[in-house]
């Protein structure tokens, strides 16, 4: 029997270690080496499952001294196993496995498939490494690997200008957040003299003594999470990232990239609890993101973009939950969201695979021909809207209840109101997508017949549908299997519970949202298009559909700042730096040529130089 | 097995091996494969038994050789180099009518080198040092019908012979001055005064400087590396050079402090100057090379410069890092030479422009070569990066003027990236105005692929998990005892 201390190393490192196979030998393997990717992630997933079953009741740190051994600054790295990391690594591994199986068919006919598998393996491995890392430094290393892989994967079709631009945008925008995380952990090292997770989790107040500093660090780290989890104001990369393959979007939006931000806050939760006001910031950013993203989802016509805004909105819910002290609810929603969001994306991917379009207005009439795909989307949509007995209902209900309780104790009901109103929008936008994209008959006749996707794509969807129905019951009003994952650390407060009446309220809101979409698009009781007419409607529509002008504002600021600065820098760079670099390079090459000419090929010259060398050394030593 | 027998086994295996390889020629005709397998097995057994030897071993042979952790550390490096060179040789000797001597020479040189690391007497050290060097002369001239091989050997031999003379001269002056040939702290000067002692040590530095290719004693190296058969070059750049360091570290560990105390010669400054010159000139010359083999030769000189920092610092910690550096360096270097051998024999690629687009035709070898070159340039997390990091860190910790050594080292590393990266660029992105060829992936030969993959695995492994080797290096230095 292999011990946990070995397994924990294999889980993240196996896919990374084997990642060279598809890119180097993909050309000679069936499906470009996809089976290697699936097998390695599969092993990781099974091992994660074993870890979950054999989970020790107290956190364990499996680390080794790495680099700088024998010197004054030893660095210990390793993996940290507790309920949180075990949960996260399972979510990542299993969801990634399903998505990879789906990719076998979905991506099967692409050029450069080996590259795809390699990047997916490193991406998933890095996320698992990030989840298990036992020091902030190691977390940061994997964090950057996640960022780099997302860049490569979003830009998988790098010959398309939109994909290349989207990849660049994702990288640059997330990088702004990364700087926050980086400065945060450098401050921890400078003032706390440690990077070990254990120290931060068990003694946050003795590691960093000053409360102001704790808040500063927590907020800086949260800025990193904002970038990765696409929260306000660093969300602009997320909709554009839809240019990547749908399987990549599915993975980014469910179990890897965006989950990393939420996980970062959850991982350092005891530290955030010890930082005054930090969680309030988290709650506000989360609630505002949840609300604004839901409104943006209402006006988009691109199915994948609707799902992207929904991701941002749902991550806003998780952040809100963390902010209001409902750590368990946030992690529960992370689990449930990963499942139903992967499901929604896989369904959207199946439609895109068959129809070749992402515009919901050009879809439609799919219920009959694509039964599994349509059912998958319906199940995902019901779960996202928060309709029982789908898993989204249970976790969202917990979050709303906690937000209400937060209002009751702090007097700040804004958070609750924002998240509650978002429920209507959420249900409305996702059912708008369902009715227009799947149910209503197509506006134009199709030139080729529509058919259901093959089993290798539909089976992952079926499994996810089943999970959507199951996982909610891990923590329902009558069952609580999830409890150990919440109550494993004494520093984590119990999740606040709200009166049952609130559940009824949020349920009514969700049904109202669905009803609005139904009456507007299916029954034509009112014309949704009229909403964007009139002076107010027009302006509102423009405001929302332009993403609240965040992109435009960034562009303006960037342009204003950079035009002046870049002119100066351009001069500096071209004339001074390049001049110096070229000069040095030219000089060195010249010098190199001179050195080379000494090498005459004549042995007597060699000997002469040797002897001169010795004589010179003797003279220098004896005379000077 | 009796631990005593096991402790002797590394050396016995090699000595028996030399005889075995020669006799195989008499017993059986035309068995090149068996021959290669025998040699590889012998070096492998030697390597494994070296790794198994206990750390407390202290075997005295004839009063002039002591086998302990220090010597076994180097025996491991030598036999690992020999192992890779033997596998590589199996491709080279295929076309040779007399392959037996080549393997025998590798094994003989390896055995002699192991004795160099164990020598406790200067005269004994000189004898085994010469035994190893003479074997490498013959290995260099092995393609004797080729003009380049013969020329390389002649140059190597002439400069080597002069260097041997210089070493011998240094030893005799030392004997005149102190009346002793033991490698141990010098207690008294009985003749000639402190200046004689200083000159003796300068001559020793110069003589061994030839072997490690310290500038200005390096001139033979590019010609010899370029002209020698590839397996010989691999072996010269690894085991042979490391032998020079094994001798230098041992001599200066024991005798250095007392030389400073009695003769007032701060030999550390000489090494610092040599390190500075060696790394800089090696890199500068490498910048303008067009032949890849020659580029690697100059890069090998510049690496010696970094390693010499360990001698310039002269602390136990720095020596341990030096030992680690030799291990890290050896695998990246041998790997590069084997990859170059592979490309020359498969595609006739000699100049770095011939390397254009090789990434498409030999993905594995190209990728490995890129990793070796990045390692040599000092890119994390590869082996030589860790070695350089520790070396420069040791220099910074030593403080004072030594910090400038690490500044020079870092600048040189940055400079070196230019010529390493240029090769990688050619491999993957081609050269200007040359479209990618429509070529199929070539089937690699195992005699190249196997050692390349071993070296690759070790280059990466030593980079991310350097602990055990660093520990072994510390144990090796500690086994030398107090100076």
């Amino acid at each position: 029997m292999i011990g946990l201390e070995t397994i924990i190393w294999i889980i993240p490192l196996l896919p990374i270690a084997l990642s060279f196979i598809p890119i180097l030998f993909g050309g000679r393997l069936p499906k470009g080496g996809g089976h290697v990717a699936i097998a390695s992630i599969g092993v990781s997933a099974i091992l994660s499952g074993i870890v979950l079953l054999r989970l020790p009741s107290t956190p364990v740190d499996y680390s080794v001294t790495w680099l700088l051994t024998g010197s004054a600054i030893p660095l210990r790295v390793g993996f940290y196993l507790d309920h949180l990391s075990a949960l996260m690594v399972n979510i990542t591994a299993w969801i990634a496995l399903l998505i990879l199986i789906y990719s076998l068919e979905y991506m099967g006919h692409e050029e450069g498939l080996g590259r795809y598998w390699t990047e997916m393996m490193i991406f998933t491995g890095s996320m698992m490494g990030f989840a298990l890392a036992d020091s902030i430094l190691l977390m940061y290393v994997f964090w950057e690997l996640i960022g780099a892989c997302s860049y490569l994967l979003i830009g998988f079709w790098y010959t398309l200008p939109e994909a290349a631009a989207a990849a660049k945008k994702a990288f640059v925008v997330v990088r702004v957040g990364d700087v926050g995380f980086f400065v945060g952990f450098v401050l921890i090292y400078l003032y706390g003299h440690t990077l070990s997770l254990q120290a931060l989790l068990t003694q946050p107040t003795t590691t960093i003594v000053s409360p102001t500093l704790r808040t500063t660090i927590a907020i800086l780290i949260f800025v990193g999470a904002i970038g990765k989890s696409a929260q306000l104001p660093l969300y602009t990369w997320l909709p554009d990232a839809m240019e990547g393959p749908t399987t990549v979007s599915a993975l980014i939006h469910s179990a890897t990239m965006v989950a990393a931000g939420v996980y970062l806050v959850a991982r350092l939760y005891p530290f955030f609890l010890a930082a005054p006001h930090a969680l309030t910031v988290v709650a506000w950013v989360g609630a505002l993101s949840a609300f604004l993203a839901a409104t943006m989802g209402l006006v988009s016509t691109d199915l994948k973009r609707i799902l992207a805004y929904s991701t941002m909105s749902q991550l806003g819910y998780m952040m809100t939950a963390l902010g209001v002290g409902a750590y368990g609810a946030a992690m529960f929603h992370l689990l449930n969201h990963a499942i139903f969001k992967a499901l929604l994306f896989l369904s959207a991917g199946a439609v895109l695979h068959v129809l070749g379009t992402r515009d919901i207005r050009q879809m439609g009439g799919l219920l009959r021909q694509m039964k599994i795909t349509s059912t998958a989307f319906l199940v995902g949509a019901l779960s996202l809207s928060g309709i029982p007995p789908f898993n989204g209902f249970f976790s969202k209900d917990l979050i709303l209840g906690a937000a209400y309780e937060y209002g009751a104790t702090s007097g700040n009901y804004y958070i609750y109101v924002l998240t509650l109103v978002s429920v209507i929008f959420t249900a409305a936008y996702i059912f708008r997508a369902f009715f227009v994209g799947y149910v209503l008959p197509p506006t134009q006749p199709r030139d080729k017949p529509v058919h259901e996707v093959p089993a290798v794509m539909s089976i992952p969807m079926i499994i996810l549908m089943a999970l959507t129905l199951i996982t909610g019951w891990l923590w329902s009003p009558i069952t609580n299997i999830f409890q150990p994952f919440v109550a494993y650390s004494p520093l984590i407060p119990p999740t606040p519970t709200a009166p049952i009446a609130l559940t009824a309220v949020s349920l009514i809101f969700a049904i109202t949202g669905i009803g609005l979409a139904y009456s507007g698009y299916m029954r034509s009781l009112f014309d949704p298009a009229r909403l964007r007419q009139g002076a107010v409607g027009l302006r509102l529509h423009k405001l929302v559909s332009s993403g609240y002008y965040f992109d435009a504002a960034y562009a303006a600021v960037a342009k204003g700042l950079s035009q002046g600065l870049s002119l100066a820098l351009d001069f500096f760079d071209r004339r001074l730096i390049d001049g110096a670099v070229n000069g040095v390079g030219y000089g060195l090459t010249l010098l190199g040529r001179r050195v080379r000419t000494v090498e005459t090929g004549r042995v007597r010259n060699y000997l002469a130089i040797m002897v001169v060398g010795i004589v010179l050394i003797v003279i220098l030593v004896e005379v000077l | 097995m009796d631990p005593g027998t096991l402790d002797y086994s590394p050396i016995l295996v090699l000595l028996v091996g030399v005889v075995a390889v020669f006799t195989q020629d008499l017993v059986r005709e035309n068995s090149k494969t068996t021959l290669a397998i025998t040699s590889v097995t012998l070096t492998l057994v030697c390597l494994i038994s070296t790794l198994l030897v206990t750390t407390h071993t202290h075997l005295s042979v004839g009063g002039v050789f002591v086998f302990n952790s220090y010597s076994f550390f180097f025996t491991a490096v030598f036999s690992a180099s020999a192992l890779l060179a033997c596998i590589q040789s199996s491709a080279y000797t295929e076309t040779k009518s007399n392959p037996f001597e080549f393997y025998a020479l590798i094994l003989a040189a390896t055995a002699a080198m192991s004795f160099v690391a164990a020598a406790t007497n200067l005269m004994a050290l000189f004898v085994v040092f010469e035994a190893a060097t003479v074997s490498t002369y013959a290995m260099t001239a092995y393609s004797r019908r080729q003009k380049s091989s013969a020329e390389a050997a002649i140059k190597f031999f002439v400069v080597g012979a002069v260097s041997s003379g210089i070493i011998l001269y240094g030893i005799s002056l030392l004997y005149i001055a102190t009346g002793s040939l033991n490698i141990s702290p010098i207690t008294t000067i009985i003749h000639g005064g402190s200046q004689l002692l200083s000159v003796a040590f300068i001559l020793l530095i110069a003589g061994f400087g030839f072997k490690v290719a310290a500038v200005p004693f390096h001139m033979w190296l590019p010609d010899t590396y370029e002209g020698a058969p590839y397996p010989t070059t691999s072996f010269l750049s690894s085991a042979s050079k490391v032998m020079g360091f094994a001798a230098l570290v041992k001599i200066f560990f024991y005798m250095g402090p007392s030389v400073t105390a009695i003769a007032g010669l701060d030999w550390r400054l000489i090494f610092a100057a040599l390190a500075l010159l060696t790394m800089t000139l090696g890199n500068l010359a490498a910048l303008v090379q067009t032949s890849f083999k020659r580029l690697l030769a100059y890069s090998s000189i510049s690496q010696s410069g970094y390693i010499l920092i360990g001698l310039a610092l002269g602390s136990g910690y720095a020596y341990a890092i030096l030992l680690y550096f030799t291990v890290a360096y050896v695998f990246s270097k041998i790997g590069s030479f084997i990859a170059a051998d592979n490309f020359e024999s498969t595609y006739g690629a000699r100049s770095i422009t011939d390397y254009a687009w090789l990434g498409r035709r030999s993905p594995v070898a190209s990728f490995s070569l890129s990793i070796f070159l990045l390692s040599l340039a000092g890119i994390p997390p590869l082996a030589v990066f860790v070695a350089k990091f520790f070396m420069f860190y040791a220099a910074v910790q030593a403080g004072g003027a030594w910090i400038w050594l690490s500044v020079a080292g870092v600048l040189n590393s940055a400079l070196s990236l230019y010529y390493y990266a240029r090769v990688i660029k050619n491999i993957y992105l081609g050269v200007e105005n040359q479209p990618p060829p429509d070529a199929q992936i070539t089937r690699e030969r195992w005699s190249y692929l196997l050692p390349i993959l071993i070296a690759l695995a070790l280059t990466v492994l030593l980079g991310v998990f350097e602990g055990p080797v660093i520990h072994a290096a510390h144990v090796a230095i500690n086994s030398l005892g107090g100076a």
Side-chain angles (χ1 to χ4, degrees):
Chain A
M1 198 78 178
I2 316 171
L4 279 180
E5 69 282 355
T6 317
I7 292 179
I8 204 98
W9 285 86
I10 298 174
I11 291 171
L13 298 183
L14 181 75
I16 297 178
L18 295 180
S19 62
F20 71 93
I21 296 176
I23 199 164
L24 284 183
F25 307 105
R28 280 182 247 171
L29 297 170
K31 292 279 179 195
H35 299 104
V36 177
I38 290 171
S40 65
I41 303 284
V43 170
S44 293
I46 291 167
L47 291 178
S48 316
I50 294 175
V51 165
L52 202 61
L53 293 177
R54 288 164 58 186
L55 198 58
S57 54
T58 48
V60 194
D61 191 353
Y62 302 102
S63 67
V64 292
T65 306
W66 179 62
L67 210 65
L68 333 184
T69 43
S71 78
I73 38 170
L75 174 65
R76 292 192 72 77
V77 294
F79 295 112
Y80 187 77
L81 183 61
D82 64 359
H83 285 78
L84 177 61
S85 60
L87 174 68
M88 190 65 226
V89 84
N90 268 286
I91 297 175
T92 308
W94 290 104
I95 299 274
L97 180 63
L98 291 175
I99 291 171
L100 285 177
I101 294 171
Y102 178 97
S103 310
L104 270 184
E105 169 65 24
Y106 186 80
M107 297 295 289
H109 313 288
E110 294 294 333
E111 282 275 314
L113 202 52
R115 186 159 52 86
Y116 172 79
W117 295 117
T118 293
E119 287 163 8
M120 286 296 252
M121 284 165 91
I122 304 177
F123 194 34
T124 313
S126 310
M127 183 63 200
M128 293 190 285
F130 175 71
L132 289 167
D134 77 335
S135 77
I136 308 222
L137 179 66
L138 197 59
M139 284 181 94
Y140 187 76
V141 170
F142 283 118
W143 175 272
E144 290 292 350
L145 270 174
I146 294 170
C149 290
S150 71
Y151 167 77
L152 293 171
L153 283 165
I154 292 168
F156 179 73
W157 291 306
Y158 57 88
T159 47
L160 299 177
E162 309 89 58
K168 197 161 71 183
K169 190 169 174 186
F171 193 71
V172 172
V173 174
V174 173
R175 188 123 285 265
V176 175
D178 293 347
V179 173
F181 183 14
F182 181 76
V183 175
F185 95 71
V186 169
L187 284 178
I188 292 178
Y189 186 68
L190 283 181
Y191 291 94
H193 309 290
T194 182
L195 287 172
S196 134
L197 212 51
Q198 196 135 30
L200 285 172
L201 297 190
T202 50
Q203 304 134 337
T205 46
T206 46
T207 308
I208 306 286
V209 179
S210 151
T212 326
L213 191 60
R214 281 203 298 276
T215 305
T216 315
I217 291 171
I219 287 174
L220 281 167
I221 289 176
F222 180 57
V223 169
I226 287 178
K228 273 275 195 290
S229 286
Q231 298 292 288
L232 283 177
L234 296 178
Y235 73 90
T236 55
W237 64 270
L238 194 70
D240 290 20
M242 291 298 113
E243 296 303 332
T246 310
T247 44
V248 172
S249 310
L251 193 55
I252 286 182
H253 286 250
S254 57
T256 50
M257 177 113 171
V258 294
V262 174
Y263 182 79
L264 179 64
V265 179
R267 178 74 283 176
L268 298 174
Y269 205 58
F271 187 79
F272 274 79
L273 284 171
H277 309 302
L279 284 176
T280 316
V281 177
V282 175
W284 269 107
V285 170
L288 283 171
S289 302
F291 177 75
L292 292 181
T295 59
M296 290 188 265
L298 269 179
V299 295
S300 180
T301 53
D302 179 325
L303 181 58
K304 282 182 72 183
R305 278 180 182 250
I306 295 174
L307 293 179
Y309 286 122
S310 120
T311 301
M312 178 185 164
S313 175
Q314 294 305 305
L315 287 160
Y317 274 100
M318 294 173 212
M319 288 294 187
T320 309
L322 289 168
V324 300
Y327 164 88
M331 287 317 292
F332 191 41
H333 198 52
L334 179 65
L335 165 71
N336 293 338
H337 171 259
I339 293 165
F340 69 68
K341 186 51 62 68
L343 179 61
L344 286 169
F345 266 109
L346 294 192
S347 173
V351 175
L352 178 57
H353 194 59
V354 172
L355 295 185
T357 179
R358 299 179 348 205
D359 192 327
I360 52 172
R361 292 168 301 188
Q362 292 171 18
M363 292 158 59
L366 303 172
L367 280 188
R368 204 154 302 208
Q369 285 97 339
M370 300 179 74
K371 283 202 181 72
I372 301 173
T373 306
S374 305
T375 318
F377 199 88
L378 179 62
V379 169
L382 285 168
S383 184
L384 173 64
S385 308
I387 304 294
F390 300 100
N391 58 9
F393 161 75
F394 297 97
S395 44
K396 197 180 272 184
D397 192 45
L398 282 167
I399 293 175
L400 288 168
Y404 177 80
E405 285 300 314
Y406 177 73
T409 48
S410 70
N412 176 3
Y413 278 104
Y414 297 111
I415 305 286
Y416 176 62
V417 172
L418 277 172
T419 45
L420 187 63
V421 174
S422 307
V423 170
I424 302 186
F425 289 126
T426 306
Y429 72 68
I430 198 67
F431 273 91
R432 166 175 170 264
F434 180 66
F435 291 140
V436 176
Y438 285 78
V439 182
L440 286 177
T443 43
Q444 301 141 341
R446 298 221 165 82
D447 39 0
K448 53 182 182 179
V450 176
H451 55 86
E452 184 55 275
V453 289
V456 70
M457 283 170 74
S458 60
I459 287 172
M461 288 195 270
I462 293 170
I463 296 173
L464 286 168
M465 276 192 266
L467 285 172
T468 307
L469 276 167
I470 296 168
T471 57
W473 295 103
L474 292 176
W475 191 359
S476 71
I478 45 172
T479 49
N480 196 350
I481 304 166
F482 202 70
Q483 190 55 32
F485 292 95
V486 183
Y488 68 93
S489 162
L491 285 172
I492 292 171
T495 305
T497 46
I500 203 86
L502 283 180
T503 308
V505 173
S506 55
L507 205 54
I508 290 167
F509 271 61
I511 292 168
T512 311
I514 299 174
L516 279 173
Y518 185 75
S519 47
Y521 293 95
M522 295 297 291
R523 289 272 163 241
S524 304
L525 293 180
F526 67 95
D527 185 8
R530 282 189 55 195
L531 288 178
R532 58 181 113 103
Q533 282 160 9
V536 180
L538 205 62
R539 248 180 231 175
L540 209 59
H541 180 260
K542 202 163 170 228
L543 172 72
V544 177
S545 59
S546 63
Y548 297 92
Y549 296 115
F550 271 102
D551 257 334
Y554 288 152
V557 171
K559 201 174 172 191
L561 258 180
S562 60
Q563 286 274 312
L565 201 63
S566 58
L567 277 177
L569 284 179
D570 179 62
F571 174 80
F572 185 71
D573 197 49
R574 241 185 256 207
R575 300 287 153 137
L576 301 180
I577 307 271
D578 280 8
V581 169
N582 290 341
V584 168
Y586 182 71
L588 288 177
T589 317
L590 222 60
L591 210 59
R593 292 226 176 83
R594 188 55 62 79
V595 170
R596 191 186 185 183
T597 51
V598 179
E599 196 78 37
T600 53
R602 295 207 182 108
V603 182
R604 61 169 185 269
N605 293 3
Y606 296 0
L607 294 177
I609 288 171
M610 269 180 83
V611 174
V612 169
I614 297 172
V615 171
L616 269 179
I617 295 175
V618 173
I619 290 172
L620 283 174
V621 168
E622 299 293 333
V623 177
L624 300 178
Chain B
M1 196 194 277
D2 175 28
T5 324
L6 184 68
D7 292 352
Y8 282 106
S9 57
I11 306 302
L12 285 177
V13 167
L14 289 174
L15 293 177
V16 170
V18 181
V19 181
V21 169
F22 271 117
T23 46
Q24 199 173 8
D25 186 18
L26 305 174
V27 176
R28 213 172 134 197
E29 289 285 325
N30 294 326
S31 53
K32 283 174 190 167
T33 325
T34 332
L35 183 67
I37 291 172
T38 314
S39 314
V40 169
T41 316
L42 282 166
T43 45
L44 189 64
V45 170
C46 174
L47 177 61
I48 291 170
S49 56
T50 313
L51 297 177
L52 289 178
V53 169
T54 53
T55 51
H56 313 294
T57 309
H58 185 92
L59 292 176
S60 183
V61 178
V64 288
F65 297 104
V66 170
F67 291 92
N68 54 13
S69 296
Y70 180 81
S71 80
F72 285 126
F73 184 91
F74 282 105
T75 307
V77 181
F78 299 146
S79 51
S81 312
L83 173 65
L84 296 184
C86 279
I87 308 176
Q88 184 193 3
S89 306
S90 63
Y92 168 70
T93 51
E94 251 171 34
T95 54
K96 292 275 169 284
S97 55
N98 53 343
F100 300 95
E101 292 90 339
F102 196 76
Y103 293 102
L105 286 168
I106 294 182
L107 293 174
T110 312
M113 287 170 177
S114 304
F115 275 90
V116 169
T120 56
N121 176 290
L122 278 173
M123 211 53 226
L125 185 143
F126 179 76
V127 171
V128 284
F129 191 85
E130 279 304 287
T133 308
V134 169
S135 306
T136 54
Y137 294 151
M139 282 168 67
T140 308
Y142 212 75
S143 296
R144 59 175 190 272
R145 285 182 215 291
Q146 264 177 34
K147 209 176 141 219
S148 60
S149 175
E151 184 193 329
I154 285 289
K155 284 180 179 168
F156 187 23
F157 171 68
V158 171
V159 183
V162 173
S163 299
S164 299
I166 291 171
I167 294 176
L168 212 49
Y169 192 29
I171 292 176
S172 55
L173 288 186
L174 187 74
Y175 185 67
I176 293 171
T178 64
S180 163
L181 283 176
N182 286 331
I183 302 179
S184 56
I186 296 156
T187 45
T188 48
I189 298 183
I190 55 173
H191 205 282
S194 64
Q195 280 188 340
L196 196 60
L197 195 59
S198 294
V199 172
F201 267 86
I202 290 167
L203 291 173
L204 285 181
I205 291 174
F208 289 110
F210 148 78
K211 190 96 292 179
V212 302
V215 174
F217 316 112
H218 69 290
M219 311 285 288
W220 58 278
L221 186 140
D223 293 350
T224 306
Y225 277 21
E226 195 180 22
Y230 267 105
T232 308
T233 312
S234 298
F235 194 67
L236 281 180
S237 69
S238 54
S240 172
K241 175 182 280 191
V242 174
M243 170 179 74
F245 282 112
L248 279 175
V249 168
K250 194 156 204 179
I251 293 171
F252 282 90
F253 183 88
Y254 284 116
M255 309 177 84
S258 55
V259 172
T260 310
I262 293 178
L265 169 73
D266 197 352
W267 44 278
R268 296 189 306 162
L269 291 176
I270 298 177
F271 279 121
L274 290 183
L276 215 55
L277 269 177
T278 309
M279 63 174 116
T280 313
L281 287 182
N283 275 327
L284 282 179
L287 280 184
V288 290
Q289 295 306 319
T290 48
S291 149
F292 184 60
K293 207 176 177 187
R294 222 172 154 81
L295 184 149
L296 284 179
Y298 279 106
S299 114
S300 153
I301 295 177
S302 70
Q303 298 290 335
S304 290
Y306 305 129
I307 304 178
L308 280 169
I309 296 178
L311 280 154
L313 297 175
S315 66
Y317 177 68
Y319 287 138
I321 298 308
L322 187 154
L323 261 56
Y324 174 75
F325 206 131
T326 59
V327 179
Y329 153 84
V330 153
F331 293 113
S332 299
K333 201 69 195 185
I334 291 195
S336 318
F337 274 120
I338 299 176
D341 188 2
N342 181 22
F343 290 145
E344 186 167 334
S345 68
T346 318
Y347 308 112
R350 284 165 182 275
S351 82
I352 53 174
T353 45
D354 296 340
Y355 278 61
W357 301 112
L358 284 186
R360 304 219 171 167
R361 299 163 80 181
S362 294
V364 181
S366 301
F367 175 74
S368 310
L369 178 59
S370 308
I371 295 292
F372 297 140
L373 294 181
L374 290 175
S375 169
L376 290 171
I379 301 294
L382 303 168
V384 177
F385 161 75
V386 178
K388 278 186 186 173
F389 178 88
F390 281 130
M391 194 61 99
F392 299 160
Y393 180 68
V396 169
Q397 281 218 315
W402 303 117
I403 292 174
W404 291 103
L405 270 182
S406 74
V407 171
V410 170
L411 287 178
N412 263 294
S413 298
L415 179 60
S416 71
L417 188 58
Y418 170 75
Y419 58 80
Y420 292 126
R422 204 161 48 137
V423 178
I424 300 174
K425 186 216 127 210
N426 283 358
I427 289 176
Y428 286 105
L429 303 172
V431 290
E432 274 155 41
N433 307 325
Q434 194 184 321
D438 226 9
Q440 288 287 311
I441 290 176
T442 314
R443 240 188 120 74
E444 313 275 9
R445 296 168 65 175
W446 275 108
S447 45
Y448 295 129
L449 205 54
L450 183 63
I452 286 178
L453 288 178
I454 296 174
L456 176 69
L458 286 164
T459 300
V460 175
L461 210 61
L462 284 170
V464 292
F465 201 61
E466 78 301 339
V469 181
I470 296 256
H471 179 71
H474 279 288
V475 171
I477 291 298
N478 288 340
S479 78
L480 292 179

